[in-house]
Amino acid sequence: MFAKSISSFFFARTLNTTVPKMMSSTCIETLSAEGRRDFYNSFDTVLTDCDGVLWLLNNTIQGATEVMNGFKANNKKVFFVTNNSTKSHTQFLEKFHTLGFNALANEVVSTSFLAAKYLKANLDPSKQVYVVGSPAIACELDALNIRHFGVGEDYLKTSVPTFVENIKLEPDVGAVLVGFDEHLSYPKLFRAASYLKDQNVLFVATNTDESFPVAGTGLVMPGTGSLVCAVQTCAGREPFVVGKPSSYICNVLTETNKIDPSRTLMIGDRCNTDILLGKRCGFKTLLVLTGVNSLKDVEEWSKSDNPKLLELVPDYYAQKLRVSYRDKSDVLLEDNLESKNPHQLFSIWFKKASEHDNVRQPNAACLATATKSGIPSARFVLLKAFGESGYTFFTNSESRKGREILTLEFNLVFLNRVFLLKFLSIIPTMEENPVAAMTIYWDALDRSIRIEGAVEKIDETESTEYFDTRPKSSQIGAHVSRQSTVISSRESFSKQNEKLEVEFAEKRVPRPSYWNGYKIIPKTIEFWQGQSDRLHDRIVFERAEHAAEKQIASHAGENGWVFYRLSP
């Protein structure tokens, strides 16, 4: 198991991958557990690229969602910094949420947004912008009330001489903005270069990403950098680039979010944008090998004497983002448990699980029972109450688990309901073994709790009180379902349900006599917490008298409990 969003995260290589020794870049997986913890604790802010790091086209890269959401769950600031200018803030948020990332609007930093922000601060308000780019750029300019034109098709419909003779340029252009434009054409290049002939006209580019590989094919997708280069060559001018690797991004984030460059990690898949940005801004850098650049590229650059190539070498690299390891404070040590009363510790862990966005049903528990002859069975139930008096669940007493935990009290009640002869004939089918084990596992926290003990039937008044709080459909379902018995078809089941819905439409639904609550009286409670180095924490609480019988070396707990550590 891997520690997920309650703790810290690491970046793991694929199994059986041979990792060569490198002088300038360190593979995260080769770090010791202590080294990985130190690495995680060395940053408070994460900047991550998106395409090639979090997703490829519209498919999430495995592990990326858990890692990013986990950073946020551990109070790391996360900013999604993308050179993609084809989506607006709103469109990016929709994609993030669709793919499961917990992203907020102010955490998304796109080049269309950055370009609009730069122009708002530097463009003469009386001027407008000629855009070679996408509707997303237009959307961001509109949001800041910046006048613009040029988005959309503008193809050559005549000969070039005829086009030149008839072209009319707008007189009040103050900037040319170039982003990704699927409609790039000769007329657009002509207009952009002509406007830029005036040295007072700002030349702004969203990014300079040259191209992108198309996964699984031999195709190459031209990037925005190819378009910018065409305009740049024609105009004979250098653009101001707002996207990576321009330090403009760092300036914006430092100004608006007060990030500390020395405590910031930049994650990316392209070294001449993502990693170079990090190096220029003083960030720690991590290359993931799920996108543009390969480990071979890094090896070659690290051997070079060229300072520009050495600047592309990341501080760390990994095959992909992957969960995880824990912060030092997340190690379960005997002397720093949040409580030495297991019921209180259970309550603390349960509260954290209940408040976690990625734990959908924190009270889902696997209940294991067994027949007298030791044949086990397990199923999930919902834990409805817990504390010093026990851990309560409700079920049908005639179900398999109900029969296996059949208590003496229930036997006597059962005896009063049938003739002695009939009871004697049924005795062999009774499987009384009133003990059980319950396990709760919270995947998002990588924590688990196991409870073992005797089972007692709770007072019928309590069962009735809880039954009366259930939705009417669930109350009727308890009458319809004779749990664990064979039924002829779903149709017959549904018809019985419909019949009772009519019968109880205006009436209170009584609790069936066979629908009861039970509680496990714990003899032992084990708290398990995963660690990436596989040295998981297992702390077991046991009643002092039982531990004494085993002569186990233990620590004193509270209220008659002792606790000790088990090997993972």
Side-chain angles (χ1 to χ4, degrees):
M1 299 182 193
F2 294 91
K4 292 191 178 176
S5 51
I6 191 63
S7 66
S8 52
F9 294 76
F10 77 100
F11 315 92
R13 61 181 174 86
T14 304
L15 293 177
N16 301 321
T17 298
T18 301
V19 181
K21 294 182 179 180
M22 301 180 62
M23 294 180 62
S24 303
S25 189
T26 302
C27 178
I28 294 292
E29 185 67 6
T30 64
L31 295 174
S32 65
E34 188 71 16
R36 293 196 299 272
R37 293 184 186 116
D38 289 343
F39 167 70
Y40 180 81
N41 291 329
S42 71
F43 57 87
D44 305 312
T45 302
V46 176
L47 307 186
T48 180
D49 180 43
C50 299
D51 297 277
V53 176
L54 307 183
W55 59 64
L56 290 171
L57 297 179
N58 292 314
N59 299 310
T60 308
I61 294 174
Q62 185 180 18
T65 308
E66 293 85 353
V67 170
M68 289 302 143
N69 291 346
F71 279 142
K72 297 187 70 175
N74 283 275
N75 299 315
K76 303 284 189 187
K77 291 181 181 178
V78 176
F79 295 96
F80 303 94
V81 183
T82 174
N83 274 357
N84 189 332
S85 64
T86 64
K87 295 186 187 304
S88 65
H89 252 65
T90 301
Q91 291 170 324
F92 269 119
L93 275 177
E94 289 176 356
K95 182 167 185 175
F96 278 114
H97 295 161
T98 298
L99 296 180
F101 294 93
N102 298 331
L104 303 176
N106 66 338
E107 296 168 342
V108 179
V109 184
S110 67
T111 49
S112 52
F113 162 77
L114 289 170
K117 183 177 180 64
Y118 176 81
L119 288 170
K120 186 66 175 178
N122 294 279
L123 178 68
D124 182 340
S126 67
K127 303 290 186 178
Q128 61 176 332
V129 181
Y130 177 60
V131 179
V132 179
S134 67
I137 293 177
C139 182
E140 298 295 343
L141 293 173
D142 288 338
L144 296 181
N145 297 315
I146 299 173
R147 293 187 301 122
H148 62 87
F149 68 102
V151 173
E153 297 180 357
D154 184 11
Y155 299 133
L156 187 63
K157 299 175 182 177
T158 65
S159 65
V160 172
T162 301
F163 169 76
V164 174
E165 288 175 3
N166 293 282
I167 189 171
K168 292 181 180 180
L169 299 178
E170 297 292 329
D172 58 348
V173 172
V176 172
L177 171 56
V178 182
F180 186 82
D181 190 344
E182 62 186 16
H183 301 298
L184 181 68
S185 62
Y186 184 84
K188 289 194 174 189
L189 289 174
F190 190 102
R191 293 180 194 278
S194 298
Y195 290 128
L196 289 170
K197 185 176 180 181
D198 182 350
Q199 297 298 310
N200 294 315
V201 173
L202 302 174
F203 183 13
V204 182
T206 58
N207 65 87
T208 56
D209 294 12
E210 303 92 343
S211 60
F212 302 94
V214 180
T217 73
L219 303 176
V220 175
M221 181 187 299
T224 302
S226 302
L227 283 60
V228 172
C229 188
V231 176
Q232 180 179 338
T233 301
C234 186
R237 289 179 56 182
E238 294 284 335
F240 178 83
V241 182
V242 298
K244 299 170 291 186
S246 168
S247 57
Y248 179 68
I249 294 175
C250 181
N251 297 337
V252 170
L253 290 175
T254 302
E255 175 188 337
T256 57
N257 294 280
K258 310 300 181 187
I259 70 168
D260 178 357
S262 68
R263 299 280 303 169
T264 298
L265 174 69
M266 177 71 220
I267 304 173
D269 68 307
R270 184 189 286 267
C271 290
N272 67 351
T273 55
D274 305 322
I275 302 306
L276 191 54
L277 169 69
K279 290 297 185 73
R280 289 178 176 178
C281 297
F283 304 152
K284 295 173 182 64
T285 55
L286 170 69
L287 175 70
V288 288
L289 305 174
T290 49
V292 175
N293 285 123
S294 67
L295 188 57
K296 183 178 179 181
D297 295 329
V298 177
E299 290 175 319
E300 291 177 357
W301 297 331
S302 66
K303 298 171 186 175
S304 173
D305 294 327
N306 187 334
K308 290 186 177 180
L309 293 180
L310 289 174
E311 200 174 14
L312 302 180
V313 177
D315 299 317
Y316 301 92
Y317 71 92
Q319 284 292 327
K320 62 179 179 178
L321 297 179
R322 185 176 172 186
V323 287
S324 80
Y325 64 81
R326 291 180 180 273
D327 181 273
K328 291 179 183 179
S329 64
D330 267 340
V331 176
L332 284 183
L333 297 176
E334 288 83 344
D335 59 356
N336 68 357
L337 294 175
E338 293 171 284
S339 175
K340 294 183 179 179
N341 179 325
H343 304 301
Q344 291 178 5
L345 186 56
F346 183 99
S347 180
I348 291 168
W349 280 30
F350 187 85
K351 183 175 185 293
K352 289 181 179 178
S354 300
E355 293 172 347
H356 199 287
D357 291 339
N358 293 330
V359 178
R360 191 172 66 86
Q361 204 157 31
N363 63 330
C366 183
L367 178 72
T369 57
T371 64
K372 259 188 173 181
S373 57
I375 299 173
S377 63
R379 77 290 292 159
F380 279 88
V381 297
L382 295 180
L383 179 66
K384 289 299 182 180
F386 59 84
E388 299 283 347
S389 63
Y391 291 70
T392 302
F393 62 94
F394 293 85
T395 190
N396 187 316
S397 297
E398 297 175 355
S399 65
R400 178 171 176 175
K401 59 184 172 296
R403 296 195 306 272
E404 289 176 353
I405 60 175
L406 200 62
T407 62
L408 177 61
E409 176 190 358
F410 188 81
N411 276 329
L412 294 175
V413 171
F414 192 85
L415 177 60
N416 290 333
R417 290 173 52 190
V418 295
F419 295 107
L420 181 59
L421 183 62
K422 186 175 181 181
F423 176 71
L424 292 174
S425 69
I426 289 177
I427 282 180
T429 69
M430 289 188 173
E431 301 165 342
E432 180 184 328
N433 188 19
V435 292
M438 176 179 282
T439 302
I440 297 179
Y441 175 55
W442 297 305
D443 181 56
L445 286 76
D446 209 15
R447 281 179 166 180
S448 178
I449 300 176
R450 292 196 311 115
I451 301 166
E452 298 175 4
V455 180
E456 294 182 1
K457 184 168 171 281
I458 69 172
D459 185 80
E460 291 199 5
T461 301
E462 291 182 56
S463 294
T464 300
E465 287 176 354
Y466 172 69
F467 185 84
D468 289 343
T469 67
R470 306 182 84 209
K472 179 169 278 192
S473 59
S474 298
Q475 294 174 337
I476 291 174
H479 283 269
V480 174
S481 174
R482 305 307 290 255
Q483 203 173 90
S484 300
T485 60
V486 177
I487 58 175
S488 59
S489 67
R490 181 172 181 82
E491 183 181 3
S492 61
F493 195 60
S494 299
K495 285 182 178 179
Q496 177 65 8
N497 191 71
E498 291 169 2
K499 178 182 176 181
L500 292 183
E501 283 179 342
V502 173
E503 180 179 340
F504 292 111
E506 304 297 331
K507 295 191 299 184
R508 172 184 171 276
V509 182
R511 177 181 66 85
S513 60
Y514 51 77
W515 195 93
N516 294 289
Y518 295 87
K519 61 183 178 183
I520 300 176
I521 310 301
K523 179 181 177 182
T524 63
I525 303 179
E526 177 181 333
F527 294 82
W528 179 96
Q529 181 167 277
Q531 304 292 347
S532 67
D533 55 10
R534 315 300 293 174
L535 300 180
H536 309 310
D537 292 311
R538 296 179 64 188
I539 301 295
V540 177
F541 282 82
E542 186 168 5
R543 297 302 301 178
E545 58 271 23
H546 300 304
E549 292 173 5
K550 300 177 185 177
Q551 297 183 330
I552 294 174
S554 59
H555 305 269
E558 298 174 359
N559 294 357
W561 291 90
V562 296
F563 61 94
Y564 48 86
R565 179 178 292 270
L566 291 183
S567 171

